[in-house]
Amino acid sequence: MSTPNPQSLIPNLQSPPVIGVFGSGQLGRMLALAAHPLGIRVHTFSPERDTPTGQVAAQEICVSYDDQDAVRAFVRGVDAVTFEFENVPSHVAEIAAEEGKLVRPGGHVLHVAQNRLREKGFFAEAGLPVTPFALVHSLADLQAGLAKLGTPAVLKTAAFGYDGKGQVKIDDPSQAEDAWQAMNGQPAILEAFVPFEREVSVVAARGFDGAFAAFPLVENRHANHILDVTIAPAQVSSEVVAEAAQLTRRLMEALDVVGVLCVEFFLLPKKNQRESIFSASSASASFASHSGRLLINEIAPRPHNSGHWTIEGAVTSQFEQQARAVCGLPLGSSEQVRPAVMVNLLGDLWAKGEPDWAALLAYPTAKLHLYGKSAARPGRKMGHVTVTAETVEEALETALSARKSLGGR
Ligand code: AMP
């Protein structure tokens, strides 16, 4: 018998490996569902009760992340630790490491991803193409940043921002004071407004041994800053696809990520399109030199909404891949089996009461995923639907039509 590798947790009927997840949303839920067939259990820790993850996990612990004794007790009951959102306090990863558990991704990855300034600074230092940006700690910094980057620009809080929260667009330098007020004195980042042709992303996994597997590049369409539709694969040139995979690999290696990570990119328009789009803004020189290329917007060191299609559309889902990477098992194939489109189901769909699920399920290729959240609020992610088909056009048409059949939108 071979000697067990301390980096790996091998499925074992007598004593199944346990992944402890900090966070309890839909990402943890889909991880738990994907881990089950591999003989791996999931425990979840978060301040909430009856959560999307807790409903399907083997154990749900409902305590504040600040309760360090409870964090330690939870960690002692699992074999490996992972995170389903990046804004977990840093002591959590530290305690898990102190307890000698596998922590994947490591605390250093969360530290970078928790803060847009650190994140963009890291990309720039690693020589990765990033949206032009400036650090803002005061109104004077903001004014200097606007002078450097030009307008339009976007001011974002450095910490705790997602789905467009904590963001203000600045169209004219005269709006600087109001924009700075909106940051409530918190450190911020000013970004040039990117006149992107489209938004695309790559979800990829990296093993402890450096193994790497990227899912195909996908296109993401947003509504009100929230992901609305993912089209897999993205309908872009093979050069862009190759560049995205290569940048993702470089980024994951530079950051030494073990686990799953998503890179969101802006795809810049090609030169001839660009001439009519770009004004004389100071950032345009940088965009011009990247014509037709990719800029990194942000990363998420975990499975991502833009990878949900992999459950039906790829040989291995992003969640199974996460379970494998976290447990130090070989990665599965990330090959796509069929064109796929995912549409999100937001709480807005409940505006006129319960959506018409029977109408949706009458579409035989529409695969419904509900997250088990009992309160539907506008903008809240309640579920998603994936359709696979012969072509992306057919998948898109069916997915949009299936969602429309729910009424309410
Ligand atoms: P974020 O939370 O930074 O991912 O922003 C949410 C969405 O806002 C992105 O997916 C883009 O659609 C848009 N956005 C954010 N930053 C920029 C930018 N610098 N230029 C243009 N659009 C942006």
Side-chain angles (χ1 to χ4, degrees):
M1 210 173 121
S2 60
T3 333
N5 182 336
Q7 295 295 325
S8 298
L9 302 167
I10 310 293
N12 173 332
L13 294 188
Q14 305 308 315
S15 156
V18 180
I19 299 177
V21 185
F22 284 91
S24 59
Q26 61 268 20
L27 301 178
R29 179 185 184 91
M30 291 183 270
L31 168 65
L33 294 171
H36 261 292
L38 300 179
I40 297 167
R41 295 201 180 154
V42 165
H43 292 179
T44 173
F45 185 112
S46 83
E48 283 99 42
R49 196 169 296 281
D50 188 28
T51 58
T53 309
Q55 289 165 10
V56 301
Q59 210 185 90
E60 180 179 47
I61 301 298
C62 318
V63 187
S64 160
Y65 298 116
D66 295 330
D67 184 336
Q68 302 201 10
D69 292 337
V71 167
R72 197 174 292 279
F74 175 79
V75 162
R76 285 186 176 157
V78 305
D79 302 300
V81 167
T82 196
F83 311 91
E84 68 112 63
F85 75 121
E86 39 283 13
N87 289 317
V88 177
S90 55
H91 65 249
V92 171
E94 285 159 18
I95 291 173
E98 272 166 34
E99 290 295 325
K101 304 295 173 173
L102 301 172
V103 186
R104 293 174 171 162
H108 66 286
V109 178
L110 296 188
H111 181 71
V112 169
Q114 277 172 359
N115 183 291
R116 292 183 195 274
L117 288 170
R118 284 200 287 269
E119 194 177 81
K120 292 230 156 57
F122 168 80
F123 302 152
E125 255 176 53
L128 295 160
V130 59
T131 309
F133 68 98
L135 320 186
V136 175
H137 291 283
S138 65
L139 178 59
D141 284 352
L142 176 55
Q143 284 158 338
L146 287 169
K148 185 175 124 200
L149 301 178
T151 51
V154 192
L155 186 65
K156 304 177 176 181
T157 50
F160 293 110
Y162 66 96
D163 288 348
K165 291 187 173 66
Q167 295 191 16
V168 187
K169 187 161 175 238
I170 303 176
D171 291 307
D172 186 273
S174 64
Q175 297 164 340
E177 205 158 335
D178 285 349
W180 175 241
Q181 289 273 320
M183 298 294 112
N184 279 322
Q186 298 171 81
I189 185 167
L190 181 72
E191 294 177 14
F193 188 81
V194 182
F196 55 79
E197 185 207 295
R198 53 185 118 182
E199 293 185 77
V200 292
S201 62
V202 174
V203 172
R206 185 163 175 269
F208 72 90
D209 54 355
F212 176 81
F215 291 104
L217 183 71
V218 300
E219 175 180 344
N220 299 315
R221 297 186 184 167
H222 294 79
N224 301 321
H225 295 279
I226 302 172
L227 183 64
D228 186 39
V229 177
T230 294
I231 297 169
Q235 306 296 288
V236 296
S237 69
S238 54
E239 288 80 22
V240 170
V241 169
E243 188 190 1
Q246 193 244 348
L247 291 173
T248 304
R249 185 172 195 154
R250 265 178 59 199
L251 190 156
M252 288 179 84
E253 284 173 358
L255 196 50
D256 193 16
V257 178
V258 177
V260 167
L261 179 139
C262 174
V263 187
E264 295 183 67
F265 298 95
F266 295 130
L267 176 60
L268 291 171
K270 288 236 172 64
K271 240 188 190 116
N272 52 356
Q273 286 166 274
R274 181 184 58 76
E275 270 146 22
S276 58
I277 293 170
F278 292 143
S279 66
S281 114
S282 321
S284 62
S286 157
F287 298 142
S289 65
H290 277 87
S291 159
R293 310 270 310 267
L294 295 161
L295 291 180
I296 299 175
N297 172 28
E298 61 178 0
I299 56 170
R302 50 170 169 78
H304 188 259
N305 198 168
S306 68
H308 291 357
W309 66 272
T310 57
I311 296 174
E312 289 87 7
V315 174
T316 309
S317 76
Q318 63 169 346
F319 301 102
E320 178 178 340
Q321 206 71 301
Q322 182 188 23
R324 286 171 178 251
V326 169
C327 290
L329 299 169
L331 301 179
S333 160
S334 52
E335 189 188 332
Q336 181 161 6
V337 287
R338 248 159 91 83
V341 167
M342 187 258 6
V343 292
N344 266 339
L345 305 178
L346 300 185
D348 311 56
L349 281 166
W350 276 253
K352 296 186 202 143
E354 194 67 27
D356 188 350
W357 302 116
L360 180 121
L361 294 170
Y363 287 78
T365 56
K367 309 301 287 183
L368 175 63
H369 298 257
L370 287 173
Y371 303 150
K373 300 178 184 177
S374 51
R377 289 188 294 276
R380 189 174 196 205
K381 290 174 182 170
M382 302 296 289
H384 74 266
V385 174
T386 298
V387 172
T388 58
E390 285 297 311
T391 63
V392 283
E393 291 78 13
E394 190 189 330
L396 181 60
E397 194 184 321
T398 308
L400 293 176
S401 169
R403 182 169 66 178
K404 201 161 175 214
S405 76
L406 290 170
R409 210 167 228 260

